Amino acid sequence: MKIGEKLRDARNQKGLTQEEVADEIHVSRQTISNWENNRSYPDIISVILLSDLYQMSLDVLLKGDKDMIEHLNESTNIVNSNKKLIIMGLLNIVVFIFMIIFNQIISENKILLASILSLSIISITIFFYQIIRKF
């Protein structure tokens, strides 16, 4: 059984509305609806709060939904997240050094200049995205 179905069943057994659950765990009613309809997954803190609210063990709530387990694994894997951040940081440094070393060649070749600037913008954008996502 998917976590959304378990959440909906548990909420109905407790006689709560989506609005009441949302108020209790400090999210929007739409968020509860999305979780219950398997359009998105709760984060680990919300899962713990829901487990407490519904008086349901985390084991019962999470077992059987491979997608939810994968989501939690991805969202809590700090090592993997830090690897991406370090790789993007190093890529930005390499591009910057490349631009300094080959400044004369780059400035004369408009296509190369446009390519490197595009790569720089994309690289910096992904780097900042990773930083923002981390918070």
Side-chain angles (χ1 to χ4, degrees):
M1 180 183 283
K2 295 270 189 188
I3 191 166
E5 296 167 16
K6 291 179 184 178
L7 293 174
R8 186 180 317 111
D9 291 347
R11 179 180 56 78
N12 288 333
Q13 286 178 356
K14 290 290 182 182
L16 298 170
T17 65
Q18 288 181 344
E19 188 71 36
E20 291 169 330
V21 173
D23 289 342
E24 190 70 31
I25 64 168
H26 312 292
V27 296
S28 69
R29 188 213 52 83
Q30 185 64 38
T31 299
I32 299 297
S33 175
N34 286 338
W35 292 343
E36 290 183 359
N37 292 307
N38 294 309
R39 285 190 289 261
S40 64
Y41 295 108
D43 60 24
I44 189 65
I45 301 301
S46 297
V47 170
I48 293 168
L49 293 172
L50 289 166
S51 171
D52 290 343
L53 178 65
Y54 297 146
Q55 297 172 341
M56 177 184 276
S57 75
L58 289 171
D59 191 46
V60 170
L61 191 58
L62 296 175
K63 272 194 175 172
D65 191 345
K66 288 188 258 181
D67 294 335
M68 178 61 188
I69 298 297
E70 186 176 313
H71 166 74
L72 288 174
N73 188 34
E74 287 176 9
S75 65
T76 58
N77 190 341
I78 294 171
V79 172
N80 196 21
S81 176
N82 286 343
K83 278 184 190 177
K84 290 177 186 176
L85 197 57
I86 290 168
I87 288 170
M88 290 311 304
L90 290 174
L91 180 62
N92 281 312
I93 291 168
V94 167
V95 168
F96 183 70
I97 290 170
F98 179 77
M99 288 178 70
I100 290 171
I101 293 172
F102 296 105
N103 183 32
Q104 188 65 30
I105 298 169
I106 293 170
S107 62
E108 293 173 3
N109 188 336
K110 300 296 181 193
I111 295 173
L112 184 58
L113 180 63
S115 299
I116 291 177
L117 287 175
S118 298
L119 177 64
S120 297
I121 291 169
I122 291 168
S123 173
I124 290 168
T125 302
I126 293 171
F127 182 65
F128 282 118
Y129 171 75
Q130 291 295 332
I131 290 172
I132 291 168
R133 202 169 149 217
K134 196 169 173 99
F135 296 107

